[in-house]
Structure formats: C-alpha cells, structure tokens
Amino acid sequence: MEQETKRILIIGGGYGGLKVALGLQRQYQGNAKITLISKHDYHYQTTLLHKVAIGTLSARKARIYYRKILNPQKVEFIKDKIKKLCPKENKVIGNGGEYSYDYLIIGLGFKPDNFGISGVDQYTYKLSSLNAALKLTKNIENKFKEFVHTKNPKDLQVIVCGTGFTGIEFTAELATQLDELCLICGIDRKIPKITCIGRSKHILPVFNENLVQTAESKLEALGVEILSSATIKEIQEGKVIVEKEGQTQEIYGNTIIWSAGVKGSDIVENSEIPNKKGRIKVNAKLQCEDFPNIYVVGDCAVVASKDAIHAPTAQLSAQMGDYIAELLCAKLENKAFDKIFKFNHRGTVCSIGHTDGVGIVYHKNVKGEMAAFMKNTIENKWLYSIGGMDMVLKKGQFRYRTSN
C-alpha cells in the first residue's frame, strides 16, 4: 500500500519556524506536504528592530520575503493570521480557513508583557514587530521636525522602560544619533533627554560586572540618565511613575518605550495546550508532552537543561529550528532519532550604537569596535544560513564605522 502523505504545518516564520522550513527544504527528499504559515509575507531580524526604530536601518533592507527563499515545490507558503489552535482535532484555524496537520510546529513568537501595569498598553511604544518599529520611527522624526513649532521640551524627552538588551540597544542607537538629529532640525543639543528605567541594580543583568560597568559608562558618556532599582508603578500620558527606595518619582517625556519583558503568543495562551503566559513546557526533543505530534520553537517554548531555563533568544530559536528539521526528516523517513536538543551558547553581543558594544563571544569579553564587528558578523551569519552569500551581500551589516 502507498504510504499516506504526511502533513507538516509550521505556524510562525520567525527564527525558529523559518529554520524548520529551510532545514526540511534542504534535507528532506520525500513527498510530505510541508506548509509554512505567517501573518506577514516577510521575515525580519528582531535583533535589528532598534535600528529600524531610529531610522538607521531601512524597512526595505529589513524585510526578507519568504517566497524569495522558499522553494514552492518543497515548502508551500501561506500568508494568514492564526486565530486558534485545536490540538485535539489536529488542526489550526486562521482568517483564511482551517489547516489540518499530522505534525505541528509552533513558532508564533512573543508579545510584550505589561505585567498588569496600568497605562502600558495605552501610552507606550513597543519594539515587538517591524510595523511597531516603523511607527516609533515616524513618531521620533515628527517630534524633532515639529519642535520648531511646538517648542515643547517634553516632545524631545524619551523614556525607555527596561534595561535588558532591547531597551539598551534602542537607547544607545538613539543617543548616538541625537547630535545629527539636533543639527538637522536646528535644536539645541542640551534639550533632548533620554532616561532608562530598570528594576535591576544594573543594566544588562545577563552580563558580568566588568561588561555592565563598561556599558553604563558608555551610555552615561552619551548623555543617557540611568535609573536603576526602580519599580514602575503606572504609566500616564507623558509620564512614568516609579518607586525607588520607598520614594515616588515622576519621569516626564512624550515618547515612552516599553521593553520591560515579553511573554509567549496570545494564541498559545488562550489554547487548551497547557502553558504559562503563552509558553509551552517541552521535553528534551522540544515536544509538547500532552500532544506528542506538536513541537515548539522560539519564544513559545520553555526549554531547560541542567535545571537552568534558557532565556528566549534568536540564537536559541535558530538552533531549535535546525534540530526540529533534523528530527522530522528522520521521523518522515522512519529512521530512529535518539539525539536530544542541546543548546550551544556561542555568545551574546549588545550593540551601543553602530560602532560600539559589549558582549561575550565564546566565553571571552569583547568591547568597543570589536564588539560592534562581532554583532554584525552574528547578523550576517544568520543571513548566510537562510539565503547564502547573495543574501548577505543584499541585506548584510558590513559597516562597523558610522557613515555620518
């Protein structure tokens, strides 16, 4: 008897989902029906959204269209927004209809977590998607251009809530561009102000003290005010109310960015799959225990090793995607697959503008231009993995010196 064609459905085209699709495209030679569904026509590097938000990276360069890198003979791409997961019926529901599967790979990404703080959803900008970053770009551009008419200093006061990677990279990118913005718009450089608020004692808590102090010094040299050990109580229009050492303070600014933390997808959170804040606990093979034909990658997965839960990163998501592609190839070809997922942490770099940064690469501290160069190398390595040298030449980050 002819074997029934297996249906593999990948929902979400981020770092993890795209890697599954491309891995199967390259390795699998059978006749399974492989489908990738994403709400956008394009993939974008979330690790570069801070550049898009400041306007130092164009939206055109940031977009990588799925149909340009997926072979329709091997992987079908469907643009649709998934609304509901029905794991007991082996199907998902989108705006465009129902999609059945034999194996489901969930890679629906993250959404900002407001932690129940009043005003976050109403009064802040988020760096959660390319469109959200472009909205922020327009806001900053308009505030500077219109200052000649408004004369309102609060329009040039920016508050960044969160001192992790996203918040610090955005803060630094903006701070390095302020001289240029003020010159172009004829604004006194003393007027713009950036305040960064964090709950931790120091910024970038994943790094050691040496790197943290270097990063803080660099930001302070750029004129950034860092408010550490501060708890955000409420956000109102044009201000953030914080508590620090038992005292309540009000920080004023007409542009407020929320980067204090993320959670998994709402679609996962509202599904019957057991999860915590939209994130599903998976086993050593990235499999959902309650529904063994469902695998999870990226921000929707809680993956642990040696009692440590890995923080969701692009690097982790990409490695998960590669692993799932390998596992599914073996499964579709009825081969044994005993390998478990093991995260190989190669390092992390936080950029401080285009020509500076701090980080750890293969367990060694890197700073300054070398860190900026390594950050670009990491981004280019991702592009190479999804589209080869052509993709790197078209979309890559080459310059580590500013062009101003």
Side-chain angles (χ1 to χ4, degrees):
M1 279 180 68
E2 193 179 323
Q3 197 176 2
E4 189 187 341
T5 303
K6 294 289 184 189
R7 297 159 301 175
I8 296 174
L9 185 61
I10 306 158
I11 53 173
Y15 290 90
L18 183 55
K19 271 293 195 158
V20 177
L22 289 170
L24 288 169
Q25 179 171 288
R26 287 174 189 144
Q27 299 164 41
Y28 180 62
Q29 301 302 320
N31 65 345
K33 180 175 165 51
I34 303 162
T35 306
L36 172 67
I37 299 178
S38 173
K39 65 181 177 182
H40 298 298
D41 290 308
Y42 53 83
H43 166 83
Y44 55 86
Q45 287 158 277
T46 52
T47 49
L48 293 178
L49 286 179
H50 62 284
K51 289 180 177 289
V52 177
I54 305 304
T56 50
L57 177 69
S58 71
R60 184 180 174 184
K61 194 172 178 182
R63 290 188 182 101
I64 299 161
Y65 289 95
Y66 294 118
R67 291 186 181 94
K68 288 188 173 184
I69 53 176
L70 293 173
N71 177 352
Q73 306 300 315
K74 293 192 169 187
V75 180
E76 181 188 11
F77 171 71
I78 297 172
K79 183 187 175 193
D80 196 1
K81 185 175 168 64
I82 300 302
K83 296 192 299 184
K84 191 179 179 186
L85 308 180
C86 307
K88 288 175 183 169
E89 298 160 66
N90 289 335
K91 71 178 184 183
V92 302
I93 299 170
N95 288 330
E98 295 184 358
Y99 306 94
S100 298
Y101 60 82
D102 294 297
Y103 297 107
L104 175 67
I105 297 87
I106 298 174
L108 291 170
F110 69 90
K111 79 167 284 189
D113 192 345
N114 62 21
F115 301 103
I117 296 168
S118 172
V120 171
D121 295 338
Q122 197 174 353
Y123 299 116
T124 69
Y125 290 87
K126 289 97 180 167
L127 282 175
S128 54
S129 69
L130 188 62
N131 289 335
L134 289 170
K135 194 176 166 189
L136 181 51
T137 315
K138 203 75 193 158
N139 169 71
I140 292 168
E141 193 180 297
N142 288 341
K143 290 278 199 292
F144 275 83
K145 279 182 179 174
E146 294 302 314
F147 183 74
V148 67
H149 304 300
T150 63
K151 301 282 196 297
N152 183 359
K154 286 179 190 169
D155 280 351
L156 304 187
Q157 289 171 7
V158 178
I159 306 167
V160 181
C161 304
T163 50
F165 270 72
T166 305
I168 294 305
E169 289 193 318
F170 171 83
T171 299
E173 194 75 16
L174 177 57
T176 57
Q177 295 302 309
L178 283 180
D179 286 354
E180 183 91 346
L181 279 166
C182 288
L183 176 65
I184 290 166
C185 300
I187 294 168
D188 182 345
R189 179 61 184 85
K190 295 188 185 77
I191 300 171
K193 185 181 172 189
I194 308 170
T195 307
C196 216
I197 305 169
R199 284 189 71 173
S200 306
K201 192 178 175 185
H202 295 289
I203 66 169
L204 303 170
V206 297
F207 285 152
N208 61 41
E209 197 175 330
N210 183 294
L211 288 176
V212 166
Q213 284 180 353
T214 302
E216 286 184 351
S217 299
K218 287 174 186 289
L219 286 171
E220 282 161 6
L222 288 167
V224 175
E225 185 183 334
I226 299 165
L227 195 63
S228 299
S229 305
T231 305
I232 295 168
K233 306 304 282 183
E234 187 185 349
I235 292 176
Q236 295 178 6
E237 190 171 4
K239 68 179 173 182
V240 178
I241 298 162
V242 302
E243 190 179 282
K244 183 175 162 75
E245 295 169 355
Q247 302 290 314
T248 300
Q249 295 181 37
E250 292 184 350
I251 317 294
Y252 293 92
N254 285 346
T255 299
I256 305 168
I257 290 89
W258 183 258
S259 61
V262 299
K263 59 181 185 175
S265 161
D266 277 354
I267 296 127
V268 172
E269 191 170 15
N270 298 326
S271 76
E272 54 193 310
I273 303 170
N275 70 86
K276 188 176 180 183
K277 282 195 169 186
R279 301 184 73 205
I280 301 164
K281 192 173 181 185
V282 293
N283 64 17
K285 289 190 173 180
L286 306 182
Q287 194 173 28
C288 174
E289 294 282 18
D290 296 72
F291 301 96
N293 64 336
I294 294 178
Y295 296 86
V296 194
V297 294
D299 299 283
C300 290
V302 178
V303 60
S305 61
K306 292 182 183 174
D307 300 323
I309 294 175
H310 298 304
T313 61
Q315 184 184 176
L316 174 62
S317 300
Q319 288 185 31
M320 291 163 96
D322 285 335
Y323 172 83
I324 292 290
E326 198 183 336
L327 178 148
L328 286 172
C329 278
K331 201 172 266 292
L332 290 167
E333 290 162 7
N334 291 317
K335 292 178 183 172
F337 189 83
D338 299 321
K339 185 173 151 187
I340 62 167
F341 175 72
K342 191 177 177 188
F343 176 46
N344 178 15
H345 197 291
R346 299 187 180 101
T348 314
V349 179
C350 177
S351 65
I352 298 174
H354 200 71
T355 60
D356 206 345
V358 295
I360 299 168
V361 178
Y362 291 110
H363 310 293
K364 288 197 166 78
N365 285 4
V366 288
K367 302 174 186 178
E369 284 195 349
M370 177 51 76
F373 176 75
M374 290 310 299
K375 173 83 173 177
N376 289 349
T377 304
I378 291 163
E379 301 298 351
N380 291 345
K381 193 177 174 192
W382 166 252
L383 292 171
Y384 185 82
S385 77
I386 64 171
M389 190 49 74
D390 273 0
M391 180 72 75
V392 177
L393 293 171
K394 283 176 191 167
K395 306 279 186 180
Q397 301 281 307
F398 293 108
R399 218 176 57 248
Y400 70 95
R401 294 184 182 277
T402 181
S403 62
N404 281 342

